[in-house]
């Protein structure tokens, strides 16, 4: 998990969660059925996560996927 601006970003299985740091409530959840998601990182206004052969970028405010790139093996 990573903490940024009073929010926790964490991945569990195929899901990326954004949680309110103080309340613990879920602010948004994004799912990628293609792969498990790992290692959330913050870059500008995006949450970047990797999976098996992909890198996804999510809008930090809404959790909407902005970009998905397949990484050749």
């Amino acid at each position: 998990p990573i903490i940024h601006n009073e929010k926790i970003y964490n991945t569990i299985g195929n899901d990326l969660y954004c949680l309110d740091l103080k309340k613990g409530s879920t602010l948004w959840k994004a799912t990628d059925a293609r792969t498990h998601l790992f290692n959330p990182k913050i870059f500008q206004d995006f949450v970047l996560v990797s999976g098996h052969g992909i890198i996804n970028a999510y809008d930090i405010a809404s959790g909407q996927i902005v970009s998905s790139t397949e990484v050749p093996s």
Side-chain angles (χ1 to χ4, degrees):
I2 190 167
I3 297 173
H4 178 74
N5 288 343
E6 303 294 319
K7 295 176 181 70
I8 301 170
Y9 300 89
N10 192 29
T11 56
I12 300 173
N14 300 75
D15 300 318
L16 168 64
Y17 292 89
C18 175
L19 307 172
D20 182 282
L21 180 62
K22 293 181 181 177
K23 297 177 184 176
S25 58
T26 301
L27 301 174
W28 55 258
K29 172 184 160 188
T31 301
D32 189 330
R34 300 173 296 170
T35 186
H36 283 21
L37 301 172
F38 306 98
N39 303 319
K41 306 286 186 224
I42 304 298
F43 176 73
Q44 296 178 355
D45 293 329
F46 305 100
V47 183
L48 305 176
V49 294
S50 57
H52 298 288
I54 63 164
I55 299 172
N56 291 344
Y58 297 88
D59 179 84
I60 201 166
S62 69
Q64 294 295 311
I65 192 163
V66 177
S67 174
S68 183
T69 302
E70 291 190 25
V71 180
S73 54

